[in-house]
Amino acid sequence: MTERMISCSAAICEALTEEMARDEAIFIIGEDLVAHGGIFGQFRGLPERFPGRLIDTPISESCIVGAGLGAALTGMRPLVDMHFADFVTCAMDEIVNQTAKIRYMFGGQVKVPLVIWAPDGAGLSAAAHHSQSLESWFVHTPGLKVVVPSEPADVKGLLKAAIRDDDPVIFFQHKKLFAREGPVPEGEHIVPLGKAAVKRPGGSVTILTYGSGFYMSMEAANELAGMGIEAEVIDLRTLKPLDFGTIADSIKKTNRAVVVHEACLSGGFGAEVSARINSELFDYLDAPVLRVAAKDVPIPFSPRLENFVLPKAEDVISAVRQVVYR
Amino acid sequence: MKSSVSTREMRRLYRTMVTIRKFETLAGELFAAGKIPGFIHLSIGQEASSTGVCSVLRPDDYIATTHRGHGHVIAKGGDLKKMIAELIGRKTGYCKGKGGSMHIADFSLGILGANGVVGGGFPIIIGAGLSIKLRHTDQVAVCFFGDGASNRGTFHEAMNMASIWKLPILFVCENNCYASTTPTAYACSVNNIATRAAGYNFPGVTVDGNDLLAVREAAGRAVDRARRGEGPTLLENKTYRRRGHFEGDPQKYRTQAEVAEWEKNDPLLRFASVLKKKKLLTGEMEKEIREQVDCELKEAVAFAEQSEWPNPEDALEDMFVNP
Amino acid sequence: MTSRIDNKRCLKMYEQMLTIRRFEEKAIELFEHNLIRGNIHPCIGQEAVSVGACSPLRRDDFMVNTHRGHGNCIAKGADLKLMMAELFGKSTGYCKGKGGSMHIADFEGGNLGANGIVGGGLPIAVGAGIGIQNRGTDQVAVCFFGDGATNQGTFHESLNLAALWKLPVIFVCENNLYGLSTPVRESISVVNISDRAMAYGIPGMSIDGNDIIAMHTKMTEAVDRARAGEGPTLLDCITYRFFGHFTGDPGKGITYRSKEEMGQWLERCPIKRFRERLIKEKRITEKTEKTMEADVKASIEEAVQFAKESPLPLPEEALQDLFH
């Protein structure tokens, strides 16, 4: 398969173009899809290519998600555009009480092939209502699959997999990474849900990360290599179901782990990963599992404040140095 | 419309109402006997609404129902055996014992499920309506909800969306005078909930919800309109919930005299007297109907009670298609 | 018509409208020079709504604002220096640099804050109304929101409660015809947003939001009604944002609005219309106007200077102000 360098945005478009051409049941519903091809231009070209299959809605988040759910229950395969991940709060009932529960609560009678696509993340001075990373709320909600890709190839492959999956998937993508480029295979390229990837092999320490944390971790790993510390960077990609096998294989080799994410520390996904490592791999550990995350405050506006709150490569480096005792 | 209802259909409608009434009475007894875990919300007194609306629907039409939903499920053709089995938490129940009274669904009958969240059905029915439109069928989708739900944000968002997209939806408000303990007049800024349709530019109709034929006629018109692609209707059936909000409700928010007053306005008695006046129903026929229904319910209870309990580990199943 | 409003007030309103316009123009310029980060949602073209809605208010009245909120802040009496400093992310700003353009609040001035969530302010205004009622004062709460917000569930829940409890809340819809890129005619099921008042049994009216006198008059009636304990009013103020949705909108919103339409609305500029009227009624002289322009310019320059000279917050300040 030929690979080209394309951006995360282009990868979204490519995945959707291929999938929508393949299956007429797929449609996209959300606010401001048609005029700009989505507010980040992430669906550019799709409205012209698939007339009537990108549905602009009023600003009514409960009903947008609920409409996606109702359509999924009656034979369609919708992708709901959340506009900003922060706006999930306006549709929490539809996501948590309805979408996540319907199949189970009704005894497995029905499938719910729904993707909720939510652009998240900070770093753009967008302040407290447009900057959050909320993935751990949904990991904590049984009945949802949670995907947070980083590189464009994963964006394409995971989005295709999410669309084809018969279960509800909430798909977070970092706004700041839309323009980020990377090699992406043309045509049929599927990254299965629930599979982590070892993106940089190494024997000194395991860095477990996803989303924007991946780039931060790679930057740190490259610098650490200069100090003779070889970090193995694992991009978790899907948080639920979690590929704990890949995590375990790595930690059995490195005996050390650092979890890195942009979401704030307390109750973050790092806590879950760390707890599992402690309960299942305790005998392999030579150091406590450390977490690198944002500080426990809302995201402030002023760049100087925002930068202080968010985790950085240097925080990853210092955490790694702590666990390798160097 | 009234005259076009055949004798057979009239009797069938009556039988459905009797079935709901008897089902609910039985459920109350089973609950009192400690056989139903959790809690149940009975629709006694509201039978004309569920029966009247569902009588104009096709099997492939959709309904979304509420926590007080047994009547809707029965009127849409639900299986009494599977219903009772679900109520008592057995493996053979509609949801294998995972849902219970408040979460019964039968997707093969277009029953998209009961909902434990007041106003939770609105957004889902929008999705069903949208899906009908995208698939170009002539189905319709009906959303049952209570007076309390009409104050929820989801009501508003859904009414607006159904209107701008002319979705084939019938919104049925069963205004039973109370949202749990709160009187409708205390919580709702307008006298008739149907008035709210004015805020969305489509018809709103208030009918006597204990008059089966009035409900059926209004619902029939709204469903025809929806099938013709002319968009949604808001139908408000004014009725009364004769039992408590849930079984065991101390009901300190209303007087027994009020309840007694509404008992005189019983939808079954009213419809029976219409039928008798038209000589479509005799005392003997009525007795026969009652016996048939009793027999069916007895079988349903026997089926349910003889059914297996789910295995504890079954609790971990049915979450995902591809776990 | 204007004659019913005294001269002093007329000139004050005109000056406020001018201040808002110049403030927004300056903010856009500073944004383009990268001195303001993030994004801003300018309200150029909507000045009559802000000023008309706030002019009948007292300082102790409450105001709940939106993402497009600079004009409403100014009309409610905000300090331009503190506003500009907030836009710059400085520690002297209204929110010490934590909020930015979309989250300016001034609790001392009754400004309960701008909101990044469409429809997020409506329930807060209801709460302010309940507080007023409980305390038994004659304050009022004004809730600004856009046409897009009228499709949010919070609109419905808030109007129902305000109507039910006869709260002293005035719901001011700044109907600028677009919810981001979505035209009102495609997203709202009624012709006039004010028609929705019927669903709650409260008065509702649609107003030419670019006519400051109409705005001021209707708003005064609604405020009087609220102060008298007669309950809420829904005002649908029809206006237009000359700029796009935000500073990143291509061609000021040309992807979803036609040039003709934008041109027609420029003709209906609220400041231009008010100025012509003031001149016609001989309420403003060329001299007064010149002085006013110069004063406005100076106050904005002063604000910019203040913002530029103010210190950035210390990074660690990011951890302060979370809890009391």
Side-chain angles (χ1 to χ4, degrees):
Chain A
M1 236 179 290
T2 331
E3 283 190 349
R4 312 113 318 143
M5 294 295 281
I6 62 171
S7 68
C8 284
S9 269
I12 298 169
C13 261
E14 194 164 289
L16 286 167
T17 307
E18 292 172 13
E19 292 305 298
M20 289 175 82
R22 184 185 56 79
D23 185 348
E24 290 216 327
I26 300 166
F27 71 96
I28 308 178
I29 183 166
E31 297 158 13
D32 305 292
L33 302 179
V34 177
H36 299 164
I39 49 163
F40 302 103
Q42 73 277 20
F43 305 134
R44 204 162 282 153
L46 296 177
E48 297 76 28
R49 174 107 197 240
F50 302 104
R53 288 171 68 189
L54 280 87
I55 301 174
D56 271 349
T57 62
I59 305 171
S60 308
E61 283 83 6
S62 297
C63 226
I64 295 168
V65 174
L69 171 60
L73 296 176
T74 54
M76 304 300 288
R77 305 187 75 90
L79 181 136
V80 168
D81 173 14
M82 213 62 247
H83 219 75
F84 280 82
D86 309 70
F87 304 163
V88 293
T89 53
C90 302
M92 261 333 230
D93 185 59
E94 283 60 39
I95 301 172
V96 174
N97 280 327
Q98 313 296 346
T99 300
K101 309 237 186 328
I102 272 192
R103 176 179 165 78
Y104 181 83
M105 184 168 82
F106 294 146
Q109 284 186 63
V110 74
K111 60 184 187 185
V112 185
L114 173 67
V115 178
I116 299 170
W117 184 86
D120 69 353
L124 298 165
S125 278
H129 286 169
H130 293 77
S131 303
Q132 298 169 85
S133 297
L134 301 171
E135 65 277 4
S136 72
W137 291 358
F138 302 99
V139 171
H140 199 64
T141 304
L144 298 174
K145 295 177 178 175
V146 183
V147 176
V148 194
S150 57
E151 294 184 289
D154 291 338
V155 169
K156 177 176 176 183
L158 284 162
L159 191 52
K160 285 170 76 94
I163 289 169
R164 293 183 191 190
D165 202 84
D166 282 334
D167 297 312
V169 178
I170 185 157
F171 197 100
F172 290 102
Q173 257 190 276
H174 200 293
K175 299 190 281 288
K176 219 179 162 177
L177 299 181
F178 283 142
R180 185 74 81 134
E181 294 200 340
V184 178
E186 272 179 3
E188 187 77 351
H189 164 66
I190 306 276
V191 175
L193 303 184
K195 289 296 287 177
V198 179
K199 294 247 171 113
R200 184 191 190 280
S204 322
V205 59
T206 302
I207 300 179
L208 301 162
T209 186
Y210 56 89
S212 62
F214 167 73
Y215 290 101
M216 215 184 297
S217 301
M218 287 300 275
E219 191 188 329
N222 291 337
E223 251 185 75
L224 286 162
M227 306 173 203
I229 301 167
E230 289 303 334
E232 178 144 303
V233 179
I234 297 181
D235 187 345
L236 298 173
R237 305 194 291 197
T238 303
L239 307 190
K240 205 168 185 186
L242 179 66
D243 179 4
F244 197 72
T246 299
I247 297 174
D249 290 346
S250 177
I251 291 176
K252 284 176 186 171
K253 182 173 76 180
T254 64
N255 312 112
R256 291 162 169 89
V258 171
V259 195
V260 179
H261 55 60
E262 185 184 305
C264 63
L265 185 75
S266 298
F269 190 64
E272 167 66 20
V273 176
S274 166
R276 273 196 76 179
I277 295 170
N278 280 321
S279 52
E280 295 178 39
L281 300 168
F282 187 74
D283 289 344
Y284 294 95
L285 290 177
D286 286 343
V289 180
L290 293 190
R291 291 176 289 158
V292 175
K295 296 179 175 65
D296 282 332
V297 289
I299 302 297
F301 161 70
S302 188
R304 198 173 188 194
L305 299 175
E306 184 178 35
N307 186 49
F308 179 73
V309 167
L310 296 176
K312 286 163 278 295
E314 61 196 69
D315 301 319
V316 180
I317 292 169
S318 97
V320 166
R321 291 182 65 178
Q322 269 189 65
V323 299
V324 299
Y325 306 110
R326 287 176 56 187
Chain B
M1 183 80 195
K2 278 180 191 177
S3 55
S4 72
V5 187
S6 71
T7 306
R8 231 179 104 202
E9 176 68 0
M10 291 281 241
R11 286 191 194 123
R12 204 182 60 82
L13 291 173
Y14 182 66
R15 192 180 194 280
T16 303
M17 290 215 289
V18 170
T19 308
I20 297 172
R21 173 69 55 90
K22 284 185 171 286
F23 181 95
E24 295 291 59
T25 309
L26 170 71
E29 286 161 12
L30 291 172
F31 184 82
K35 289 187 176 167
I36 297 178
F39 42 112
I40 56 171
H41 306 84
L42 303 181
S43 66
I44 289 176
Q46 305 182 192
E47 295 87 349
S49 175
S50 38
T51 306
V53 171
C54 291
S55 73
V56 296
L57 299 182
R58 298 192 316 226
D60 67 338
D61 290 331
Y62 300 116
I63 66 165
T65 165
T66 71
H67 56 287
R68 199 175 309 287
H70 302 160
H72 306 137
V73 175
I74 294 171
K76 190 73 172 60
D79 182 332
L80 301 180
K81 290 197 189 75
K82 290 186 182 172
M83 285 179 73
I84 300 273
E86 188 60 34
L87 260 56
I88 66 170
R90 300 305 166 97
K91 201 173 180 167
T92 52
Y94 260 122
C95 313
K96 306 181 193 167
K98 290 194 170 84
S101 160
M102 226 186 316
H103 303 292
I104 292 179
D106 183 342
F107 288 85
S108 69
L109 293 173
I111 303 168
L112 304 183
N115 210 304
V117 177
V118 169
F122 294 120
I124 297 174
I125 216 69
I126 291 299
L130 185 60
S131 150
I132 292 169
K133 207 170 166 179
L134 292 170
R135 288 183 285 108
H136 308 292
T137 70
D138 70 341
Q139 294 160 282
V140 301
V142 176
C143 185
F144 287 102
F145 60 101
D147 43 279
S150 79
N151 297 323
R152 279 223 46 214
T154 49
F155 167 92
H156 179 66
E157 296 186 8
M159 297 288 146
N160 184 55
M161 273 199 203
S163 179
I164 59 170
W165 294 335
K166 280 192 183 300
L167 299 181
I169 295 177
L170 169 57
F171 295 102
V172 180
C173 179
E174 299 185 304
N175 182 350
N176 63 14
C177 301
Y178 291 91
S180 187
T181 68
T182 309
T184 306
Y186 175 87
C188 190
S189 52
V190 283
N191 294 329
N192 289 323
I193 289 164
T195 311
R196 293 201 160 152
Y200 313 101
N201 201 19
F202 60 78
V205 187
T206 301
V207 300
D208 176 348
N210 283 9
D211 178 344
L212 176 83
L213 293 175
V215 171
R216 183 181 149 98
E217 191 188 336
R221 248 183 283 145
V223 164
D224 289 347
R225 187 180 126 81
R227 279 203 219 288
R228 285 195 307 264
E230 291 167 20
T233 303
L234 170 57
L235 172 62
E236 177 187 17
N237 295 334
K238 292 228 177 191
T239 181
Y240 194 77
R241 133 164 89 67
R242 301 233 298 257
R243 299 290 267 250
H245 167 56
F246 56 92
E247 286 300 281
D249 181 356
Q251 302 182 55
K252 287 182 182 157
Y253 48 86
R254 62 180 182 186
T255 62
Q256 274 314 301
E258 182 186 298
V259 180
E261 198 55 40
W262 276 92
E263 273 169 13
K264 288 187 214 151
N265 185 7
D266 183 273
L268 271 74
L269 289 180
R270 283 176 64 183
F271 190 49
S273 92
V274 170
L275 294 180
K276 282 174 184 164
K277 224 179 264 170
K278 294 189 175 182
K279 305 215 183 323
L280 298 175
L281 187 73
T282 61
E284 200 163 312
M285 283 161 140
E286 210 183 337
K287 193 170 159 241
E288 195 185 313
I289 288 174
R290 290 182 173 277
E291 281 169 4
Q292 282 172 359
V293 171
D294 281 335
C295 184
E296 256 184 76
L297 284 170
K298 217 170 143 186
E299 275 174 39
V301 172
F303 167 83
E305 288 186 332
Q306 284 158 21
S307 292
E308 276 179 82
W309 288 97
N311 295 318
E313 312 77 64
D314 291 349
L316 304 183
E317 278 169 19
D318 295 323
M319 195 156 75
F320 291 127
V321 177
N322 314 301
Chain C
M1 188 67 194
T2 353
S3 54
R4 282 166 51 194
I5 304 168
D6 69 63
N7 227 11
K8 204 175 143 202
R9 191 188 275 271
C10 274
L11 291 183
K12 168 94 179 137
M13 293 199 297
Y14 183 66
E15 185 174 8
Q16 277 194 324
M17 287 166 72
L18 215 53
T19 308
I20 295 171
R21 176 69 56 94
R22 300 290 173 253
F23 183 93
E24 294 293 60
E25 286 167 353
K26 184 51 97 179
I28 294 166
E29 183 193 318
L30 293 164
F31 177 82
E32 281 162 359
H33 288 93
N34 230 357
L35 286 163
I36 293 175
R37 304 286 290 273
N39 255 308
I40 48 181
H41 301 81
C43 67
I44 292 179
Q46 306 184 183
E47 295 87 349
V49 181
S50 304
V51 173
C54 291
S55 59
L57 300 183
R58 300 192 311 233
R59 187 159 170 85
D60 70 336
D61 288 328
F62 297 116
M63 185 273 277
V64 171
N65 206 354
T66 73
H67 58 284
R68 197 178 311 288
H70 301 166
N72 299 332
C73 278
I74 294 171
K76 189 69 178 65
D79 183 327
L80 300 184
K81 292 204 280 294
L82 305 194
M83 281 181 71
M84 198 56 94
E86 188 59 34
L87 263 53
F88 272 70
K90 298 296 181 77
S91 63
T92 53
Y94 265 117
C95 314
K96 306 180 196 167
K98 289 193 171 82
S101 160
M102 225 187 314
H103 303 288
I104 293 179
D106 169 17
F107 286 83
E108 275 174 36
N111 172 357
L112 304 186
N115 210 305
I117 305 296
V118 170
L122 289 133
I124 299 174
V126 167
I130 293 171
I132 294 169
Q133 208 172 57
N134 285 346
R135 289 191 307 275
T137 68
D138 71 339
Q139 292 161 283
V140 301
V142 173
C143 183
F144 285 106
F145 54 96
D147 42 276
T150 69
N151 296 320
Q152 282 282 39
T154 50
F155 170 88
H156 179 63
E157 297 182 4
S158 302
L159 268 77
N160 183 50
L161 284 183
L164 206 55
W165 296 333
K166 285 192 181 296
L167 298 179
V169 181
I170 300 101
F171 293 98
V172 179
C173 179
E174 304 183 272
N175 180 355
N176 61 20
L177 310 186
Y178 291 86
L180 212 163
S181 71
T182 309
V184 161
R185 61 180 181 279
E186 286 173 23
S187 61
I188 300 184
S189 48
V190 281
V191 179
N192 294 309
I193 288 170
S194 56
D195 292 347
R196 292 204 158 148
M198 263 190 282
Y200 312 99
I202 61 169
M205 70 194 76
S206 293
I207 311 169
D208 177 350
N210 282 10
D211 177 350
I212 179 72
I213 302 303
M215 270 306 307
H216 175 82
T217 311
K218 296 296 169 197
M219 187 66 188
T220 305
E221 286 169 21
V223 168
D224 290 348
R225 213 179 100 79
R227 284 208 211 286
E230 289 165 24
T233 304
L234 170 62
L235 297 181
D236 167 26
C237 313
I238 299 157
T239 182
Y240 201 76
R241 54 169 147 78
F242 292 171
F243 208 83
H245 168 64
F246 70 133
T247 30
D249 216 349
K252 301 182 179 178
I254 193 68
T255 48
Y256 52 87
R257 318 192 284 192
S258 71
K259 236 187 199 142
E260 295 71 47
E261 181 187 294
M262 285 155 74
Q264 280 163 13
W265 277 95
L266 281 175
E267 287 304 305
R268 280 180 245 172
C269 169
I271 296 181
K272 187 177 135 207
R273 279 169 66 184
F274 195 29
R275 179 174 175 267
E276 282 165 4
R277 199 159 175 169
L278 291 172
I279 292 171
K280 201 172 141 204
E281 295 179 7
K282 299 199 184 354
R283 284 167 176 263
I284 196 166
T285 61
E286 209 175 311
K287 197 179 149 216
T288 330
E289 212 188 330
K290 264 195 180 149
T291 321
M292 195 185 274
E293 273 280 4
D295 289 350
V296 167
K297 197 175 170 210
S299 64
I300 287 164
E301 281 311 323
E302 192 193 356
V304 173
Q305 203 55 34
F306 173 80
K308 278 184 176 163
E309 286 165 4
S310 289
L312 279 168
L314 295 173
E316 305 76 51
E317 286 177 30
L319 305 184
Q320 292 168 7
D321 300 322
L322 188 62
F323 295 118
H324 194 59

